[in-house]
Amino acid sequence: MHAKVFNQVKNRIRQELSPRNRSEGNFDNYVSAGRSSSEYRQEEGSTSPTGNRTSKVFSQFTKRMHRPTSSQNRNSYDAPSHSFNTVDVTIQFVSAWDLPVMDPVGGADPYFKAEIDGRITYTSTAKPSTLTPTWNEVWHIKNVPVTAVLKVHVYDKDEGFLHDDYIGKFKTPIAESGTREIEIESMVTKHRRGVFKLNVISNPCLRPTMPQYTFAGPCRFSRHRSPTVGALTVAATEERLYSTWKIHMIGINEFFGDTWQHWNQNYPAAQSIFAPLSPIKPIIQNAHRLLYARTTANAFGILDRAADFIGLFRDEARDNRIKPSIYTYVIDEDTFRFSETGAVFFVDFASKHALHSKCATEVRYSGEFHWRPAIGGWNNFQEQIDDSSVAWEIVFDNNSGTYAPDKQMLPALRALIEYNFPGLQVLALDREDEELKASTAACRAYGTQHRGIQECEFQPFKKNPQEQTLMHMASVRRK
């Protein structure tokens, strides 16, 4: 790719995703995104053969830029501009009070779902046993039409069910800044069901060239426990095998452009799931709802930097050390979802990735990943070394039979992860890459030899034959 074109692309991403305040240095690292992973490794000293193909993602970026031909126009394009037809919005969801009693023992477990013009959504945490919840949660959205309306629906969380009790709703325009206290109304009778407080900060859009309703942060995560845990006494060392994570990512549309990964029509398991009138598909979708349900037991937080992200992978049962494990992941329109590949809830499911994606016909990307010490990998790591004294590298791949992701998009995946977690060391390798195979094998070997991880934990398994599976629960449970 011509240097001027590539620099324009790089600057475009930096400018349009500015809410994270990324530095020029960080974006210089994305130069590798214009080359294949083998090219990047060779620059670092690898002897892997160098390819000449340019990633599709940057051709997509180039098309979307509509780049001007003259120097004068290019300078005009790069200059900040303002739009009075659209705004950049920050919404702080503060609190609510006077909510109705929803549970038989009194109280409620309230949470809310917000949306703007049906184009972008936000779901809050669930607050346990309260009629006066305080959230103080923040949502940043860029390039929103001044005519946009925020709609909020408030619910009472019912643990273990597919659907929750409805409390009420309200709506408000967001073009003007200010603090508001708005009555929550019932769906049909319009009776008062409480009061909701929020604060809106609205400014003219600085980059109207970006897509409308662009999510701009914060990058927040939720950790969910499988509903099957409720009937089990789980050993501390197995807790993570019943957990899944969801992270709201910034810039997914910008890095992947118009490229999606369709389900693999040559993969038998995918054929059985996506066939017309498939009996399996609704069961997997129910299981997804149960697995990712908002509950008061979920863990939540904000991820600002690499250290925050790495912290999600510290094994509480093993002295908070980085667990040598393999993870299955899916990236959809706005979230990054993952769990250990050996998670117990995967038992009886033909496709792990379909469970994470809720049987989406297309995803942005999917595969597996694992952590390793940045220098030397697991083969050269010693147990007495303090994890905090080591730089860690995350290794992504495209190992997904359900979606068979195009390896040409691996550089875009790497750039997206680096952007959301500044300072993180990321490597993206094709599923057939020998380096990937060796690294994955070393990770598994270290876990079994030094951390007490059983080999069976790297694949879904039932420790107890009488253990209820998520597949069974999703097949029979209805509200």
Side-chain angles (χ1 to χ4, degrees):
M1 180 180 293
H2 192 279
K4 286 186 177 179
V5 174
F6 183 81
N7 287 332
Q8 287 178 355
V9 172
K10 187 177 68 172
N11 290 334
R12 169 74 176 272
I13 304 171
R14 182 177 67 250
Q15 291 168 350
E16 295 195 351
L17 299 184
S18 60
R20 295 299 299 231
N21 194 26
R22 297 303 195 248
S23 67
E24 176 73 30
N26 284 334
F27 274 88
D28 285 341
N29 292 335
Y30 299 158
V31 172
S32 62
R35 300 185 289 273
S36 68
S37 57
S38 60
E39 287 179 291
Y40 181 77
R41 289 197 308 278
Q42 188 176 58
E43 286 189 0
E44 294 183 323
S46 169
T47 56
S48 300
T50 300
N52 293 320
R53 290 171 294 184
T54 301
S55 170
K56 290 181 181 178
V57 64
F58 275 82
S59 64
Q60 294 283 357
F61 287 154
T62 307
K63 291 177 183 178
R64 290 161 57 223
M65 284 180 65
H66 304 291
R67 66 183 187 275
T69 56
S70 71
S71 175
Q72 180 180 1
N73 287 338
R74 281 199 296 271
N75 292 335
S76 175
Y77 175 84
D78 287 338
S81 59
H82 299 265
S83 170
F84 295 101
N85 296 317
T86 59
V87 290
D88 296 335
V89 179
T90 293
I91 303 172
Q92 181 189 18
F93 301 101
V94 182
S95 60
W97 57 88
D98 290 344
L99 299 182
V101 173
M102 303 296 294
D103 298 333
V105 296
D109 300 321
Y111 73 99
F112 64 85
K113 295 181 179 180
E115 55 100 350
I116 302 175
D117 297 347
R119 296 286 300 276
I120 187 169
T121 61
Y122 181 101
T123 303
S124 77
T125 58
K127 299 299 181 181
S129 304
T130 180
L131 301 180
T132 58
T134 297
W135 285 286
N136 281 325
E137 297 183 17
V138 175
W139 190 23
H140 305 297
I141 318 97
K142 288 194 171 291
N143 203 17
V144 180
V146 294
T147 57
V149 174
L150 170 72
K151 296 180 181 179
V152 176
H153 297 265
V154 185
Y155 298 86
D156 168 45
K157 179 62 201 174
D158 279 349
E159 304 285 354
F161 291 95
L162 291 174
H163 304 285
D164 298 321
D165 291 330
Y166 189 74
I167 294 178
K169 63 183 176 65
F170 68 88
K171 62 181 179 180
T172 182
I174 56 175
E176 295 184 4
S177 299
T179 299
R180 304 162 198 188
E181 296 179 0
I182 307 171
E183 285 196 358
I184 303 168
E185 296 181 340
S186 61
M187 178 69 79
V188 178
T189 63
K190 307 300 182 183
H191 288 161
R192 184 179 184 274
R193 304 278 278 175
V195 180
F196 199 107
K197 181 178 181 179
L198 57 82
N199 184 37
V200 176
I201 301 174
S202 179
N203 294 298
C205 179
L206 293 179
R207 298 293 171 189
T209 53
M210 71 169 60
Q212 289 191 342
Y213 307 95
T214 293
F215 171 67
C219 186
R220 54 194 178 95
F221 80 90
S222 56
R223 176 177 176 176
H224 307 253
R225 301 177 80 216
S226 170
T228 61
V229 172
L232 298 171
T233 300
V234 178
T237 55
E238 299 170 353
E239 175 71 24
R240 296 180 68 87
L241 293 174
Y242 290 85
S243 297
T244 188
W245 288 260
K246 178 173 70 173
I247 300 177
H248 291 266
M249 302 281 277
I250 302 169
I252 291 176
N253 289 334
E254 284 69 31
F255 283 100
F256 284 109
D258 299 327
T259 302
W260 293 77
Q261 309 299 322
H262 193 274
W263 70 269
N264 183 6
Q265 297 179 348
N266 297 318
Y267 189 54
Q271 293 169 0
S272 66
I273 294 169
F274 294 99
L277 303 179
S278 167
I280 302 173
K281 185 176 181 178
I283 295 175
I284 298 177
Q285 291 172 329
N286 281 343
H288 175 95
R289 295 187 189 99
L290 288 170
L291 187 59
Y292 281 102
R294 291 277 164 163
T295 75
T296 55
N298 293 155
F300 298 90
I302 303 297
L303 305 174
D304 286 324
R305 56 189 64 85
D308 299 333
F309 180 58
I310 294 173
L312 299 181
F313 301 89
R314 297 193 181 277
D315 190 349
E316 302 90 337
R318 296 178 173 87
D319 299 322
N320 284 316
R321 307 201 70 176
I322 299 296
K323 186 176 182 181
S325 185
I326 313 300
Y327 294 83
T328 294
Y329 76 91
V330 161
I331 297 176
D332 58 24
E333 188 170 12
D334 56 6
T335 61
F336 168 38
R337 301 169 186 261
F338 62 88
S339 63
E340 291 194 24
T341 299
V344 176
F345 49 76
F346 282 138
V347 169
D348 295 336
F349 284 97
S351 169
K352 305 178 186 68
H353 292 102
L355 177 58
H356 278 307
S357 73
K358 197 181 176 183
C359 297
T361 302
E362 296 178 317
V363 298
R364 286 303 198 170
Y365 219 70
S366 61
E368 294 180 330
F369 68 84
H370 65 275
W371 290 92
R372 69 183 186 185
I375 300 178
W378 288 107
N379 282 334
N380 295 309
F381 190 71
Q382 297 180 5
E383 193 67 1
Q384 64 269 24
I385 298 176
D386 187 345
D387 284 6
S388 62
S389 66
V390 176
W392 292 91
E393 180 177 55
I394 189 168
V395 182
F396 281 88
D397 64 40
N398 56 346
N399 188 23
S400 169
T402 302
Y403 294 102
D406 183 358
K407 65 182 180 181
Q408 291 296 320
M409 297 303 293
L410 284 167
L413 169 66
R414 177 184 176 215
L416 171 70
I417 301 300
E418 288 178 339
Y419 180 78
N420 277 267
F421 310 111
L424 189 67
Q425 298 189 45
V426 184
L427 188 61
L429 303 175
D430 180 61
R431 57 181 169 266
E432 299 299 330
D433 195 307
E434 292 301 323
E435 179 183 349
L436 173 69
K437 296 176 182 178
S439 184
T440 302
C443 178
R444 294 169 62 120
Y446 194 92
T448 56
Q449 295 171 16
H450 300 283
R451 297 286 174 85
I453 299 173
Q454 302 179 50
E455 185 63 36
C456 63
E457 293 181 35
F458 289 102
Q459 294 296 328
F461 74 103
K462 286 175 62 176
K463 185 176 182 180
N464 185 336
Q466 281 71 49
E467 181 175 333
Q468 187 180 40
T469 65
L470 181 63
M471 172 68 83
H472 175 75
M473 184 178 290
S475 300
V476 301
R477 180 165 295 193
R478 299 291 188 272
K479 187 171 180 178

